[in-house]
Amino acid sequence: MQEVVRKLPTSTMTLQMGPSHPASHGTSKFTVELDGETILAIDIEFGYLHRGFEKMCENVTWTQVVPYTDRLNYVSPLINNVGFYMAVEKIAEVKVPERALYIRTIISEMSRICDHLTCVAATAMELGGLSIFFYMIKARDRIWDLIEDITGARLTVSYVRIGGVMNDLPLDFAEKWKPVRSLVLAMLHDVDVMLTKNRIFIDRMRNTGIINGETAMAYGLTGPMLRGSGVKFDIRKASPYLVYDRVEFDVPVGAKGDNFDRYVVRMQEIKYAVSIIDQCLAQIPDGPFITDDPRLALPDKGSVYGSIEGTVDHFMHIMFGIQVPKGEAYSYVEGGNGELGFYVVSDGKGKPYRVRVRPPCFANLSALPTMITGALLADLVPTFDSINMIGGEIDR
Amino acid sequence: MAESKKEIKTYISDASDDMTWHERLYVPALAKGFGVFAKHFFRNLLGDKEEGDTGTIQYPEQKIAYSERWRGAHRLTKRPDGSTKCVACMMCSTACPAQCIHIIAKEVDDPNVEKAPEVFVIDELRCIFCGMCVEACPKDAIRMDTGIHVPAMYSREEAVWDLDKLISNKGVRGNV
Amino acid sequence: MTLAEVIIRLVMVALAIGLLMSIAPLLTWGERKWSALAQDRVGPNRAAIELAGKSITLNGLLYPLADGLKMIFKEDFMPTRGEKFLHFVSPWLAVFPALAVVAVIPLGARVNLFGHEIPMQVADLDAGILYLFAFASLSVYGSTLAGWASNNKYGLLGSLRTSSMLISYEVAMGLTLVGLMMTVGSLRLSDIVEYQQGTMLGFLPRWGIFMQPFGALLFFVSAFAETKRAPFDLPEAESELVAGYFIEYSGMKFGMFYLGEFVEVVTGACLFAVLFFGGWQLPWASSEAYYNPLVVGIGGFISTAYLVFFVITLLGLPLRDPRIQFAIAAGGFLGGAGLALLSGAEGLLGPKGGVLGLILSNGPELAKLLMSLMVFTMKILILCWFHILLRWTYPRFRYDQVMKLGWKMLLPAALVNLVVTGIVLLIIR
Ligand code: SF4
Ligand code: SF4
């Protein structure tokens, strides 16, 4: 018997998954080496969505960068908008009006909800629970309706400007938020009943894709992935920006760092995001929504149409771009997937001299081989989904 | 605020590490999940189609109203005499990040106007609908409130909208 | 075998296949539409036929038709280095066993019409259940060979998963039924249905599900696994293996896998109805009750009303509308009254001559036949609905978890069920 076993020739199988594979959304490619269904080695290839964001920024004015940032993490474009202009404001040392800060917080949290919804929905869908996907996407669509109300577009929002935002919240925003809020919460409840206690789901998520806190920090993971591993680190708490120090919320953490923990962290964060928006709407003061600093903001339309100074000011801003003073700055916000950083250098000539993005997914994805080697092929799906790789962000 | 926080808290069950015995048995949680699913089914089956919570919009027959700020295809606004308000100042084409506006100016005899576009084209395929041209215009001459999408077309040339086309587009809220 | 018997058999074959082949495509519609409703969507409703300037969509009912046309005319792709013959036969191997199973299913009550004994069953085999298992095991060949013959790694992984999963669940499936066989004391399906009449413990219908609740649950799970639908769809797991074993199939060959899946759903529902929901039996009533006009009237009302309701949901008419509600009630009333009249007319009017007399004297039997067919159809429609909706609710298992469930939970549970049944039976008898 022993003889026979030894003579059977076995070999591993190399499977190419992607770039156009149902699981590799956001166009990435895995070359997986399989022994049966066990993953021996995995090689991740990305870059299929590379557009040269950083280089492109050097050729446009500071205002014209904003459409590019929309297309980084296209699931939560508003956070990217906010993140980029926070870096610019750091260089220019502008004071952003209170109301604009609140508006930025509200839209950031709305984007965070969308981001987490998309991630959990995609995980559930790829595990076979298509209905959950539809429930969550329906809720996300309602939020997008609101975003369309605020910004004028659903996805390519281009909403934030230096020193503030493009326009004020619509008057009936608080009214419109109420039904959306209850829809989101009702949906969360439904999804919770259908997933959280469901053993099939627990089995798929628990103890798969584990990464412990120490390794996670070594890889530079941030966001829900780091918190899932039990490290209580959230930029909104660690280094509060906007008005995060004025609202109450908790930072949920997981224990083990497996997929299930990350799912729970995301679900909880949606819940807290809803509460943050509520608090912001209760606190938001009246006032301007963009700074009145004439160096950095367009003059208001009234003076452009009506006065020669306004027209000239406007003309200078448009024709030569807003003149951001010389300097450099790194600014970071808590994006949907973790620390979204922008390093911006200005040479004072009206265009960025250099822009560098720290996309959270990049670090997060780099941990995938550690998390998945030795697991089954089927585990690749929830693990990859809980990383929530966004092609536009990682490939830039 | 306090009560709203409590309400939120109840929406997520806490996920303990160890499965309880009834979770191990699959059936109770699965039955509950099916209950939620069936609830949606019957609500949509028996409920009024108008009020039912299907998120579907039967598109060509049924359209949603876009929000007031929604950025659609462009139009050029008009003076009372029907000519365009645009003074060919090139601000929009400078501000455009996609560089899809092309303008050639001409002189006009009217001393109040002096300048007007001879050629004004927008390549709606290149346009990314960012709205910066509207923001840049000092004369309120270009707007994106037509409420229409750029339709599908068979050639690239059709996507380049010229002055006549842009002037003839109508705004959803009044046609200045 | 006399000529009449041959004709009866042929009619039965036509009936069984007809039932299967009308419900299965309907279910492809149902799957789309029902899942859409549960997912807060509307579902497909655009396939239309232009008639006299109006486009008729029938609430998406034309999609099965459009699908069929599309599949027939699509290119039949064959991987160059695939195994041609096996690639060709495996869709047939997948569909045929699923179809063959229906032969032993009693679709309605055995009646005595116009002097002929008519069993509503293609073949009333002694070893009906064994026949079922034999054919259920055959279906594994279709999907296994399909993946292997395609020369595709995803296909291969899919077919490996299929074969191991199906074979494991067959073991559990067989054992779960032994309890029922012991209770009934027969492997003949018509006997099992006959046994499930009347009441037990005074208040429950004596149906398999109440005699063997645990067995029913286990059987349901393993039968569900046999259909390879979510949460057991790992052989074709879309997000991992793209389409699994039928990845290299297109056109009508793919269509056969697709149809085969729905045929399996229907046969699964038939089986479950026969084994655990009393087949064509009315709840609480004995099969003699089919001769009671009152019972036939009430039963007829319920089942006709349900069928009308079903057709109305098919057409997507608004159920809130009072006229529609009236139509359902009226349909039920007409059906009930008609059947009751058919059943009881001879008793009221006395014997008559001629054609009318012939019909009247066969009235009770005829009513029984129609009624039992309707009751059975109603049961399988409800079960199919349940089956289809379940598929959309849960995430799928992982390969090793499915094996664990099969071997470490279902199999021991089935054994326990067997032992407990044995003990209870010993005590009772
Ligand atoms: S919307 Fe943006 S891209 Fe389009 S024409 Fe205006 S500025 Fe250019
Ligand atoms: S900015 Fe306004 S006025 Fe100037 S060219 Fe553009 S449309 Fe005409």
Side-chain angles (χ1 to χ4, degrees):
Chain A
M1 188 69 206
Q2 281 297 325
E3 282 300 295
V4 182
V5 172
R6 221 175 295 133
K7 268 180 205 153
L8 272 177
T10 63
S11 65
T12 57
M13 176 162 98
T14 309
L15 194 62
Q16 308 279 352
M17 295 174 81
S20 155
H21 180 278
S24 67
H25 45 79
T27 51
S28 53
K29 182 180 161 192
F30 314 117
T31 309
V32 192
E33 184 144 349
L34 289 177
D35 172 18
E37 291 222 6
T38 313
I39 297 176
L40 296 181
I42 179 167
D43 184 26
I44 310 161
E45 244 175 70
F46 50 83
Y48 292 91
L49 218 56
H50 179 67
R51 294 141 303 167
F53 165 79
E54 293 171 0
K55 195 70 193 164
M56 285 194 296
C57 288
E58 294 168 16
N59 297 311
V60 293
T61 63
W62 291 98
T63 336
Q64 287 173 340
V65 175
V66 64
Y68 292 142
T69 60
D70 286 344
R71 289 152 178 81
L72 283 176
N73 181 344
Y74 36 73
V75 189
S76 48
L78 285 162
I79 301 186
N80 306 331
N81 283 190
V82 173
F84 178 76
Y85 282 116
M86 274 176 58
V88 179
E89 283 154 12
K90 221 172 180 175
I91 303 178
E93 290 171 355
V94 241
K95 188 153 167 10
V96 182
E98 284 287 288
R99 189 173 173 82
L101 289 181
Y102 277 98
I103 296 178
R104 284 181 178 185
T105 316
I106 292 172
I107 57 175
S108 297
E109 289 312 304
M110 276 166 50
S111 284
R112 190 179 323 281
I113 297 177
C114 294
D115 202 297
H116 289 348
L117 283 182
T118 314
C119 174
V120 176
T123 313
M125 174 186 71
E126 265 151 32
L127 290 181
L130 192 63
S131 311
I132 291 140
F133 177 80
F134 279 112
Y135 294 158
M136 298 195 117
I137 292 306
K138 192 180 122 195
R140 188 182 79 171
D141 222 53
R142 292 287 170 273
I143 296 179
W144 277 0
D145 284 348
L146 284 185
I147 291 183
E148 185 193 312
D149 268 357
I150 303 175
T151 68
R154 296 170 85 79
L155 201 68
T156 52
V157 288
S158 305
Y159 180 57
V160 180
R161 296 287 183 271
I162 301 178
V165 291
M166 185 164 78
N167 38 26
D168 205 352
L169 285 185
L171 289 177
D172 55 354
F173 179 75
E175 275 309 289
K176 284 193 170 167
W177 163 243
K178 267 180 212 145
V180 176
R181 172 185 188 279
S182 46
L183 182 93
V184 170
L185 290 181
M187 176 276 306
L188 272 191
H189 176 71
D190 282 356
V191 172
D192 182 46
V193 173
M194 286 174 84
L195 287 185
T196 314
K197 294 279 173 192
N198 179 342
R199 179 157 176 206
I200 304 178
F201 184 70
I202 298 179
D203 277 348
R204 285 305 300 273
M205 303 289 276
R206 266 262 170 257
N207 295 329
T208 57
I210 300 185
I211 184 159
N212 64 28
E214 226 164 276
T215 328
M217 281 195 278
Y219 270 104
L221 304 195
T222 43
M225 286 201 69
L226 183 64
R227 294 194 281 278
S229 304
V231 182
K232 199 164 178 154
F233 176 77
D234 186 322
I235 295 171
R236 293 175 295 169
K237 281 275 185 213
S239 152
Y241 57 101
L242 300 182
V243 294
Y244 283 114
D245 47 351
R246 287 179 235 170
V247 288
E248 261 181 65
F249 64 99
D250 219 350
V251 178
V253 287
K256 272 191 191 161
D258 54 11
N259 290 325
F260 195 74
D261 280 342
R262 294 194 276 274
Y263 155 76
V264 174
V265 164
R266 284 204 166 92
M267 289 290 274
Q268 304 266 15
E269 277 184 16
I270 297 176
K271 174 185 98 172
Y272 286 121
V274 169
S275 136
I276 292 175
I277 297 177
D278 286 347
Q279 296 177 44
C280 283
L281 283 176
Q283 293 175 13
I284 189 166
D286 282 337
F289 54 85
I290 189 159
T291 176
D292 52 3
D293 188 335
R295 292 175 303 140
L296 296 165
L298 291 179
D300 70 81
K301 284 280 179 190
S303 73
V304 176
Y305 301 153
S307 76
I308 188 73
E309 292 81 8
T311 317
V312 171
D313 194 7
H314 187 78
F315 181 80
M316 295 303 284
H317 275 327
I318 298 287
M319 282 306 179
F320 302 104
I322 288 170
Q323 304 295 312
V324 174
K326 231 176 178 161
E328 53 188 271
Y330 177 69
S331 152
Y332 37 90
V333 291
E334 180 71 26
N337 297 322
E339 175 179 339
L340 172 71
F342 284 94
Y343 180 65
V344 179
V345 183
S346 164
D347 60 355
K349 286 196 186 137
K351 283 180 184 173
Y353 179 75
R354 171 88 171 96
V355 174
R356 155 88 187 141
V357 199
R358 182 215 186 268
C361 299
F362 189 87
N364 292 1
L365 190 64
S366 66
L368 180 63
T370 331
M371 290 155 69
I372 200 68
T373 311
L376 292 178
L377 180 64
D379 287 335
L380 182 62
V381 173
T383 311
F384 181 65
D385 281 333
S386 77
I387 289 175
N388 196 15
M389 189 210 92
I390 307 283
E393 184 174 84
I394 201 165
D395 297 340
R396 308 203 281 296
Chain B
M1 215 76 286
E3 97 216 36
S4 105
K5 228 182 271 167
K6 203 171 121 220
E7 172 204 354
I8 287 177
K9 197 148 203 143
T10 51
Y11 278 101
I12 314 273
S13 40
D14 43 281
S16 51
D17 193 14
D18 295 314
M19 280 183 275
T20 50
W21 62 269
H22 55 86
E23 279 169 52
R24 271 179 203 289
L25 281 182
Y26 287 100
V27 180
L30 294 196
K32 256 191 182 167
F34 186 75
V36 170
F37 199 54
K39 185 184 83 192
H40 280 267
F41 179 85
F42 284 111
R43 206 162 60 195
N44 290 327
L45 180 72
L46 304 176
D48 209 336
K49 275 280 150 55
E50 275 20 88
E51 291 165 29
D53 51 5
T54 54
T56 313
I57 289 155
Q58 301 287 341
Y59 171 61
E61 295 96 37
Q62 199 185 4
K63 287 175 183 165
I64 47 165
Y66 289 121
S67 76
E68 227 165 83
R69 293 176 183 175
W70 185 73
R71 301 193 288 262
H74 304 78
R75 73 186 175 101
L76 289 176
T77 54
K78 288 179 283 200
R79 296 201 173 81
D81 68 356
S83 63
T84 173
K85 273 190 189 170
C86 172
V87 292
C89 68
M90 308 276 174
M91 298 252 243
C92 52
S93 68
T94 313
C96 177
Q99 291 156 19
C100 58
I101 306 182
H102 176 63
I103 304 170
I104 296 175
K106 67 171 181 204
E107 274 183 42
V108 184
D109 292 339
D110 186 346
N112 290 328
V113 183
E114 291 182 8
K115 210 175 159 202
E118 162 105 68
V119 176
F120 191 115
V121 293
I122 301 185
D123 185 343
E124 300 282 347
L125 278 185
R126 286 192 69 161
C127 174
I128 55 170
F129 299 94
C130 60
M132 288 192 178
C133 45
V134 181
E135 211 175 57
C137 181
K139 297 302 273 183
D140 190 19
I142 188 166
R143 289 200 194 171
M144 298 177 80
D145 61 352
T146 50
I148 53 170
H149 294 267
V150 176
M153 50 206 103
Y154 287 103
S155 70
R156 280 165 192 275
E157 288 71 43
E158 282 170 70
V160 181
W161 288 7
D162 60 6
L163 198 56
D164 292 339
K165 169 79 180 154
L166 289 166
I167 291 183
S168 66
N169 280 346
K170 305 228 179 330
V172 269
R173 284 170 305 280
N175 197 24
V176 199
Chain C
M1 224 189 237
T2 62
L3 183 65
E5 271 177 34
V6 172
I7 291 175
I8 288 172
R9 288 294 140 127
L10 286 180
V11 170
M12 285 323 302
V13 170
L15 190 69
I17 298 284
L19 191 74
L20 213 57
M21 280 310 179
S22 57
I23 295 186
L26 206 60
L27 285 187
T28 62
W29 170 89
E31 168 143 280
R32 290 171 180 162
K33 215 66 184 177
W34 294 338
S35 66
L37 279 180
Q39 291 165 346
D40 295 348
R41 292 186 288 127
V42 169
N45 59 358
R46 296 279 155 169
I49 291 181
E50 297 286 335
L51 259 190
K54 272 172 76 181
S55 67
I56 298 167
T57 58
L58 291 178
N59 193 29
L61 270 178
L62 294 173
Y63 273 90
L65 206 69
D67 269 351
L69 280 179
K70 180 193 81 175
M71 279 165 185
I72 290 170
F73 288 111
K74 240 180 138 171
E75 185 194 347
D76 180 17
F77 175 78
M78 165 91 70
T80 11
R81 296 232 237 133
E83 176 69 48
K84 294 243 156 44
F85 177 67
L86 290 179
H87 191 267
F88 176 74
V89 294
S90 42
W92 297 95
L93 283 177
V95 174
F96 173 71
L99 281 177
V101 164
V102 84
V104 290
I105 303 226
L107 304 171
R110 173 184 291 266
V111 287
N112 210 328
L113 267 188
F114 307 111
H116 292 290
E117 169 104 357
I118 301 181
M120 293 302 283
Q121 197 173 2
V122 178
D124 193 6
L125 296 183
D126 280 345
I129 292 188
L130 288 187
Y131 171 90
L132 286 183
F133 286 147
F135 273 94
S137 327
L138 277 183
S139 72
V140 69
Y141 284 104
S143 29
T144 309
L145 292 179
W148 186 78
S150 308
N151 185 31
N152 181 307
K153 284 174 184 173
Y154 290 114
L156 182 66
L157 281 174
S159 58
L160 283 177
R161 285 184 181 188
T162 323
S163 52
S164 49
M165 185 176 91
L166 291 194
I167 289 169
S168 324
Y169 276 73
E170 251 145 44
V171 179
M173 186 160 95
L175 272 177
T176 49
L177 283 191
V178 177
L180 188 75
M181 295 177 209
M182 280 159 64
T183 326
V184 177
S186 169
L187 289 181
R188 190 193 283 266
L189 288 169
S190 54
D191 285 352
I192 294 179
V193 176
E194 279 296 334
Y195 189 85
Q196 301 181 56
Q197 54 179 309
T199 53
M200 60 183 273
L201 302 177
F203 66 101
L204 284 176
R206 196 159 85 169
W207 280 0
I209 186 149
F210 297 112
M211 294 190 285
Q212 286 276 318
F214 201 46
L217 179 71
L218 298 179
F219 177 76
F220 185 72
V221 174
S222 29
F224 208 118
E226 292 282 309
T227 57
K228 304 188 286 290
R229 290 162 62 80
F232 297 98
D233 65 342
L234 48 162
E236 54 196 85
E238 140 108 17
S239 56
E240 299 152 29
L241 302 185
V242 192
Y245 58 87
F246 55 76
I247 187 167
E248 292 284 11
Y249 280 85
S250 62
M252 206 50 216
K253 284 188 194 159
F254 167 77
M256 284 169 77
F257 280 116
Y258 189 66
L259 193 69
E261 189 177 307
F262 286 97
V263 170
E264 269 178 38
V265 172
V266 185
T267 50
C270 287
L271 259 185
F272 202 69
V274 164
L275 294 172
F276 293 102
F277 278 101
W280 44 266
Q281 298 277 9
L282 295 170
W284 293 291
S286 73
S287 46
E288 288 309 305
Y290 271 112
Y291 294 120
N292 182 342
L294 188 67
V295 172
V296 171
I298 297 174
F301 174 77
I302 295 176
S303 45
T304 326
Y306 174 77
L307 291 181
V308 175
F309 164 82
F310 186 80
V311 171
I312 281 175
T313 56
L314 270 189
L315 298 176
L317 302 175
L319 292 165
R320 277 274 191 85
D321 194 335
R323 281 170 303 175
I324 299 291
Q325 285 164 358
F326 177 74
I328 294 176
F333 186 75
L334 281 183
L339 280 176
L341 210 64
L342 192 61
S343 176
E346 201 188 22
L348 284 179
L349 301 176
K352 286 258 157 55
V355 180
L356 182 69
L358 196 61
I359 293 178
L360 281 187
S361 63
N362 281 306
E365 292 284 334
L366 215 52
K368 181 181 178 183
L369 172 69
L370 288 177
M371 178 73 192
S372 59
L373 272 178
M374 266 189 341
V375 168
F376 189 67
T377 315
M378 178 169 161
K379 283 177 185 170
I380 54 178
L381 282 180
I382 293 178
L383 281 171
C384 284
W385 171 83
F386 184 60
H387 199 128
I388 286 200
L389 234 51
L390 267 190
R391 179 220 190 287
W392 293 96
T393 317
Y394 308 127
R396 76 174 69 85
F397 287 95
R398 199 172 63 198
Y399 175 65
D400 58 327
Q401 286 159 357
V402 125
M403 288 294 148
K404 228 182 257 170
L405 179 72
W407 290 105
K408 289 197 183 161
M409 287 181 84
L410 287 185
L411 192 67
L415 285 172
V416 169
N417 184 41
L418 195 64
V419 172
V420 172
T421 312
I423 294 172
V424 171
L425 282 180
L426 263 185
I427 294 171
I428 290 178
R429 293 199 181 133

